[in-house]
Amino acid sequence: MNKITAAITAVGAYVPDFVLSNQVLETMVDTNDEWITTRTGIKERRLLKENGKGTSYLAIKAAQNLIEKANLDPKEIDLVIMATATPDMPVASTGVYVATQIGATNAFAFDLHAACSSFLYGMSTASAYIQSGKYKKVLLIGADKMSSIIDYTDRATCIIFGDGGGAVLFEPNEEGLGLQDEYLRSDGIGREYLKIDAGGSILPPSEETVKNGQHFVFQDGKTVFKYAVSGMADVSEKIMERNNLTKEDINWLVSHQANRRIIDATASRMGLDEEKVLINIQKYGNTTSATLPLLLSDFEHKLKKGDNLIFAAFGGGFTWGSIYLKWAYNKQ
Ligand code: UT7
């Protein structure tokens, strides 16, 4: 029997309708379209504005889009992995709620939190479950309602983030397609540079923490940028080397969308031409756990069976890594 690999066999996505453009941000904080565009590549982002709707809403919509497109019976799903940095609630698992809502009543579910690398780590986790031979259909969802933790008076963060969700289905493959190799890293040195101070077990929420805005994301952008550029480029180069991949062998770079300049630096270290680099940061900004599946959804029509994809991400913690995956289908 051939070795079982974990292949992506379907993709779904969802972004909310509300668009927050650079022009509108100019009226909210001291910034301008030219600065945001040249420093980040972002033109607009989507926000989930309706009261009472959280990350699960984005996740359910993305999963339902996949289920419909793939004509999948949700009862066949064995496991739902919910990659997110913004769960609906600190305790009740968002993934469990999502699984029930989409009708995946035979699945078990859990949340996976690794900041902007949540989806990348989720790919590794989903693949391991498939390769164990015990699970046949693993649904990996990446969704974040970043607008719930962003201070819209802080120009250092509010120009960057957006809301969205995406989902992929992993299934066993015996043709050698799917996940080939992974190189995942983490380093606690990053804890001080990208964080939310309050609301966790160290500093529970209080009147004081809310008054100080400590429930919002803080980012030392310059430092994170420096680590992200070298981290993502290093792991992507490493995964090419150890799989004997030349730049000609790679069809697509599927990179976390945090900053256009970080993506370009990674592509440049890999020696890739611009047309091999998937980019949609201009439309959505940084949607944290949703960037990778949103790319797969937007560019699904271009991906061909057998294509070599390199995924790369970098996030708070720090967490980062790279995954080499062979695409398993042609879009109908
Ligand atoms: O996904 C998780 C990982 N996160 C990331 O990968 C994000 C990494 N960091 C970044 O993408 C970038 O650091 C930012 C986009 C956040 C900031 O870009 P930068 O080129 O690092 O800007 P900076 O913080 O060094 O600021 C440069 C200048 C400063 O002015 P002075 O001191 O040179 O006069 C800032 O005050 O730009 C100013 N500035 C702004 N100006 C207009 C900072 N933010 C803004 C703004 N609009 N929004």
Side-chain angles (χ1 to χ4, degrees):
M1 205 179 100
N2 292 336
K3 185 174 164 247
I4 294 174
T5 46
I8 293 177
T9 57
V11 174
Y14 174 77
V15 289
D17 294 333
F18 183 89
V19 176
L20 178 60
S21 67
N22 289 351
Q23 285 71 24
V24 173
L25 275 168
E26 286 178 2
T27 68
M28 296 163 62
V29 289
D30 181 14
T31 192
N32 58 79
D33 174 51
E34 206 261 332
W35 191 96
I36 301 172
T37 307
T38 53
R39 298 289 179 126
T40 71
I42 304 167
K43 297 301 271 184
E44 57 189 41
R45 59 297 284 144
R46 302 299 184 99
L47 264 51
L48 179 58
K49 296 289 264 188
E50 291 95 325
N51 282 339
K53 288 183 177 162
T55 294
S56 62
Y57 180 81
L58 304 165
I60 290 166
K61 287 282 200 184
Q64 285 172 338
N65 177 240
L66 180 150
I67 287 166
E68 198 178 306
K69 275 171 65 187
N71 199 17
L72 173 72
D73 178 357
K75 291 196 171 51
E76 289 179 12
I77 299 170
D78 301 306
L79 163 62
V80 175
I81 303 174
M82 178 73 234
T84 187
T86 53
D88 282 2
M89 302 171 189
V91 172
S93 163
T94 304
V96 170
Y97 175 72
V98 169
T100 301
Q101 291 299 309
I102 62 171
T105 47
N106 293 313
F108 77 104
F110 60 84
D111 293 355
L112 190 160
H113 180 356
C116 289
S117 305
S118 300
F119 191 84
L120 190 85
Y121 284 18
M123 290 175 67
S124 160
T125 311
S127 168
Y129 274 104
I130 293 285
Q131 283 190 298
S132 77
K134 287 189 200 156
Y135 304 93
K136 303 285 182 237
K137 288 191 191 325
V138 177
L139 183 68
L140 170 63
I141 308 172
D144 271 301
K145 184 183 170 186
M146 294 305 292
S147 60
S148 65
I149 53 171
I150 294 300
D151 176 359
Y152 284 92
T153 65
D154 175 13
R155 71 175 183 173
T157 51
C158 74
I159 57 134
I160 300 169
F161 294 98
D163 302 340
V168 300
L169 185 69
F170 276 92
E171 291 186 89
N173 185 283
E174 291 192 25
E175 292 177 81
L177 302 169
L179 200 144
Q180 307 292 308
D181 193 17
E182 62 186 40
Y183 185 55
L184 306 182
R185 311 290 307 133
S186 65
D187 186 343
I189 195 177
R191 182 161 150 135
E192 289 310 309
Y193 304 118
L194 177 47
K195 61 178 175 177
I196 296 178
D197 270 320
S201 54
I202 291 182
L203 190 59
S206 67
E207 223 171 282
E208 186 74 8
T209 62
V210 172
K211 202 176 77 203
N212 296 337
Q214 288 169 292
H215 55 295
F216 290 127
V217 171
F218 161 83
Q219 175 171 245
D220 171 352
K222 231 188 217 338
T223 306
V224 177
F225 184 88
K226 207 177 75 195
Y227 278 97
V229 165
S230 60
M232 285 220 319
D234 284 351
V235 292
S236 303
E237 194 176 43
K238 172 117 181 168
I239 211 144
M240 283 175 74
E241 264 169 33
R242 74 181 193 192
N243 289 280
N244 297 316
L245 294 169
T246 65
K247 59 184 181 175
E248 285 79 22
D249 297 324
I250 294 166
N251 300 97
W252 308 106
L253 171 63
V254 190
S255 166
H256 176 49
Q257 308 282 294
N259 186 317
R260 178 71 203 243
R261 289 182 291 145
I262 300 174
I263 304 164
D264 289 345
T266 305
S268 158
R269 178 87 82 83
M270 295 167 76
L272 294 186
D273 295 337
E274 214 177 314
E275 63 269 20
K276 292 187 170 185
V277 184
L278 303 187
I279 302 271
N280 60 11
I281 192 170
Q282 72 283 2
K283 294 197 289 181
Y284 309 130
N286 182 350
T287 54
T288 301
S289 312
T291 59
L292 300 180
L294 281 176
L295 281 174
L296 294 179
S297 173
D298 278 1
F299 293 94
E300 192 184 13
H301 60 286
K302 289 198 169 200
L303 309 176
K304 297 279 168 274
K305 187 173 176 180
D307 278 359
N308 288 322
L309 277 59
I310 301 293
F311 291 78
F314 188 93
F318 294 126
T319 56
W320 74 104
S322 185
I323 284 182
Y324 165 33
L325 177 136
K326 276 187 182 290
W327 197 245
Y329 66 93
N330 297 320
K331 188 168 189 259
Q332 298 301 317

